[in-house]
Amino acid sequence: MSDVFCTDCKRQTEVVFDHSAGDTVCSECGLVLESHSIDETSEWRTFANESGDNDPVRVGGPTNPLLTDGGLSTVIARPNGASGEFLSSSLGRWQNRGSNPDRGLIVAFKSIATMSDRLGLVATIKVLHIINLFLVVEVPWRAFLQKSSTTAFAMAAMGPPLNKDRANEIYKRVEDQKSSRGRNQDALLAACLYIACRQEDKPRTVKEICSVANGASKKDIGRAKEYVVKQLGLEKGQSVEMGTIHAGDFMRRFCSNLGMNNQAVKAAQEAVQKSEEFDIRRSPISIAAAVIYIITQLSDDKKPLKDISVATGVAEGTIRNSYKDLHPYVFKIIPNWYAKEEDLKNLSSP
């Protein structure tokens, strides 16, 4: 029991929480202070002598509109210690005989989720989807939503849907065309994730995607990407918008890989943004790597070219050539607060 202000008693009184009804009741006058409360605690207790593989959770994952049954199909679990009896039972036989049309999609979605986690793509949810979900259920959920406006605003600030959700959608659209049979599945899934990152303005380099693609090569992923873009174009009857890549999209991640301080990261981001004003005919990734090289050479914590190449995935020769193209503009792109004119003049010539 705890003390809560009672409107009838006009003072703090002890209250009793009725778990079965979800009511908070004043222990002195019996007034129901709050009804249909949601118990957010777990519905089970875990003891030290219980086995680690005994998961007491009775709910599955969230609904998935990309699956035929929305991801709400029932699977008969195997009882503990009864593996042989389960396989020989009629329920087990019928479940094994039944074919799940979404079995391939489920496996593919799990692979995309694994790659997304390894790339550090954080899951976010649109608050609009949550609101629509709550409004179609019972009245207590509506009351909960009205009382939780702060939570709703917090969820709204979390941002757009996860890249893997877009990747799942892209893969489902390609799979529905029944033309991907015989292709490298790992490369196809990696290509869907690459396109999703581009479309969600969170691009990843092909090398980064390749590092989590279960052995698929850059060449395979490139071919798969062209195939996916072609199939999506045939479906819509128009070219697919991939999104524009900017050097600044990679800058913070590359600087983090090198362990650069905040001042250097800020200077690198400003320099990259100013470099877009000039006609530097290099890829955004190469420009980002060259800018990082310049910024580190102007700081006390100088980074060798080899470390920058490893952190950015750009070859050392490419960084040198990009630095050569950027060198004429260093006085215009490097922020004045970060380096003096004398320091820029002392930069090594390309």
Side-chain angles (χ1 to χ4, degrees):
M1 294 190 297
S2 60
D3 292 343
V4 176
F5 182 81
C6 178
T7 55
D8 276 8
C9 300
K10 306 296 183 182
R11 58 187 175 86
Q12 295 282 342
T13 61
E14 290 188 346
V15 295
V16 179
F17 185 73
D18 185 356
H19 292 272
S20 60
D23 297 337
T24 303
V25 184
C26 176
S27 60
E28 297 190 10
C29 66
L31 176 67
V32 178
L33 301 176
E34 187 176 1
S35 62
H36 301 295
S37 300
I38 298 175
D39 186 3
E40 298 181 355
T41 60
S42 60
E43 60 178 351
W44 65 86
R45 292 182 297 169
T46 304
F47 300 94
N49 59 349
E50 289 185 349
S51 60
D53 59 348
N54 183 21
D55 187 3
V57 178
R58 297 189 293 108
V59 297
T63 58
N64 190 342
L66 299 178
L67 300 178
T68 303
D69 54 8
L72 299 177
S73 59
T74 300
V75 178
I76 303 172
R78 177 180 300 179
N80 293 334
S83 58
E85 292 80 0
F86 171 78
L87 293 175
S88 60
S89 66
S90 59
L91 289 177
R93 288 198 304 270
W94 280 109
Q95 177 168 288
N96 292 332
R97 290 175 184 173
S99 59
N100 186 355
D102 296 326
R103 184 174 301 173
L105 285 177
I106 294 174
V107 174
F109 292 167
K110 286 182 179 179
S111 298
I112 291 176
T114 301
M115 289 190 292
S116 301
D117 293 339
R118 293 174 64 185
L119 286 173
L121 301 175
V122 183
T124 55
I125 305 173
K126 274 188 177 178
V127 66
L128 181 60
H129 295 170
I130 302 298
I131 293 175
N132 290 338
L133 175 63
F134 284 163
L135 292 180
V136 298
V137 292
E138 297 298 329
V139 175
W141 287 98
R142 292 188 182 137
F144 167 74
L145 187 61
Q146 293 172 356
K147 295 178 182 178
S148 306
S149 58
T150 304
T151 304
F153 281 114
M155 290 189 294
M158 292 176 66
L162 178 64
N163 301 59
K164 73 178 182 183
D165 298 331
R166 176 64 67 90
N168 291 344
E169 178 187 350
I170 293 173
Y171 177 78
K172 177 68 163 57
R173 288 162 57 187
V174 174
E175 186 67 17
D176 287 344
Q177 298 185 32
K178 306 296 183 183
S179 59
S180 60
R181 186 182 298 274
R183 293 187 174 271
N184 188 329
Q185 190 72 4
D186 293 328
L188 192 63
L189 295 174
C192 292
L193 185 59
Y194 174 81
I195 295 173
C197 291
R198 290 275 301 268
Q199 292 181 345
E200 293 294 326
D201 295 329
K202 296 178 182 178
R204 294 296 188 271
T205 65
V206 179
K207 283 190 176 181
E208 289 178 304
I209 298 291
C210 186
S211 65
V212 298
N214 299 323
S217 64
K218 289 177 58 178
K219 190 174 183 180
D220 292 337
I221 296 176
R223 289 175 177 174
K225 184 197 74 171
E226 294 177 0
Y227 166 76
V228 172
V229 171
K230 180 181 178 181
Q231 295 301 314
L232 296 179
L234 292 175
E235 179 192 28
K236 288 187 173 182
Q238 59 185 5
S239 60
V240 178
E241 180 63 35
M242 289 279 289
T244 305
I245 294 180
H246 300 280
D249 297 333
F250 309 96
M251 186 58 67
R252 181 171 291 277
R253 190 165 67 255
F254 290 167
C255 293
S256 177
N257 294 339
L258 286 166
M260 297 169 59
N261 57 49
N262 293 333
Q263 190 177 18
V265 173
K266 183 179 178 182
Q269 289 178 321
E270 290 185 16
V272 160
Q273 193 171 12
K274 290 182 180 179
S275 68
E276 295 182 354
E277 301 174 3
F278 305 98
D279 185 18
I280 304 173
R281 300 186 179 181
R282 291 284 175 179
S283 69
I285 302 172
S286 302
I287 293 176
V291 168
I292 290 175
Y293 175 73
I294 296 173
I295 293 296
T296 56
Q297 296 307 305
L298 293 171
S299 67
D300 297 332
D301 185 19
K302 293 179 172 57
K303 304 291 183 182
L305 193 60
K306 182 179 180 181
D307 292 351
I308 298 176
S309 176
V310 172
T312 61
V314 182
E316 296 182 30
T318 305
I319 298 177
R320 290 193 189 96
N321 293 331
S322 301
Y323 171 64
K324 182 178 179 180
D325 293 341
L326 280 173
H327 189 267
Y329 307 102
V330 291
F331 292 95
K332 298 180 180 179
I333 65 175
I334 302 299
N336 297 330
W337 57 264
Y338 184 76
K340 298 179 180 179
E341 186 175 349
E342 295 179 0
D343 298 329
L344 297 177
K345 290 180 179 179
N346 293 331
L347 275 174
S348 59
S349 60

